[in-house]
Amino acid sequence: MDEHNRLRDVFDAIADPTRRRLIRLLAESAEVPLHELTSQFEMGRTAVSKHLTVLKEAGLVLDRKVGRETRFRLNAAPLKEIEDWVGFYRRYWNANMARLGRLLEEEEE
């Protein structure tokens, strides 16, 4: 699924703390079975599966069947959109702080 065919916005997908935690867990392993992910949360398998579906719809998670087991892995490429967005505002604030620093230096002179 490329970024134009995603069913869900990446920002929406990472808005929930449970989904952010799932992303972190998946980032720490190559591939994780559903039962291992479920054991990390105080919620049922169905609830964890729903969160994984949201992440899949945003293109952040890939899954594959191995026998009767479903395994999940992170696809971090869509997070680039967030990095770009944050990077813009990082540059914005750095430029504003530099400007403020120059103004303060001018006042001291």
Side-chain angles (χ1 to χ4, degrees), residues 56-106:
K56 281 176 52 177
E57 289 173 352
L60 290 164
V61 169
L62 303 171
D63 66 344
R64 71 182 182 106
K65 286 279 197 183
V66 178
R68 292 177 37 193
E69 180 178 75
T70 304
R71 296 183 180 188
F72 296 88
R73 66 185 167 94
L74 178 65
N75 175 32
L79 293 173
K80 177 84 171 86
E81 180 180 354
I82 294 167
E83 179 186 16
D84 293 345
W85 186 83
V86 169
F88 171 82
Y89 288 99
R90 183 179 300 117
R91 289 186 301 278
Y92 170 83
W93 283 111
N94 286 341
N96 281 329
M97 289 298 146
R99 209 170 321 138
L100 177 61
R102 287 191 301 275
L103 285 171
L104 292 173
E105 287 174 5
E106 289 173 8

Side-chain angles (χ1 to χ4, degrees), residues 12-66:
D12 178 47
I14 68 161
D16 185 275
T18 299
R19 293 193 289 268
R20 290 192 302 270
R21 187 164 167 218
L22 280 166
I23 289 170
R24 179 168 299 256
L25 290 169
L26 291 170
E28 294 170 348
S29 301
E31 200 171 64
V32 185
L34 177 59
H35 73 273
E36 283 185 29
L37 290 170
T38 302
S39 71
Q40 301 294 315
F41 296 91
E42 293 184 14
M43 63 180 73
R45 180 184 181 114
T46 303
V48 172
S49 290
K50 286 181 181 180
H51 284 291
L52 287 165
T53 297
V54 171
L55 294 172
K56 281 176 52 177
E57 289 173 352
L60 290 164
V61 169
L62 303 171
D63 66 344
R64 71 182 182 106
K65 286 279 197 183
V66 178

Side-chain angles (χ1 to χ4, degrees), residues 1-8 10 57-59 78 81:
M1 208 181 290
D2 70 17
E3 67 184 52
H4 299 292
N5 291 330
R6 287 195 309 243
L7 300 175
R8 185 175 299 271
V10 175
E57 289 173 352
E81 180 180 354

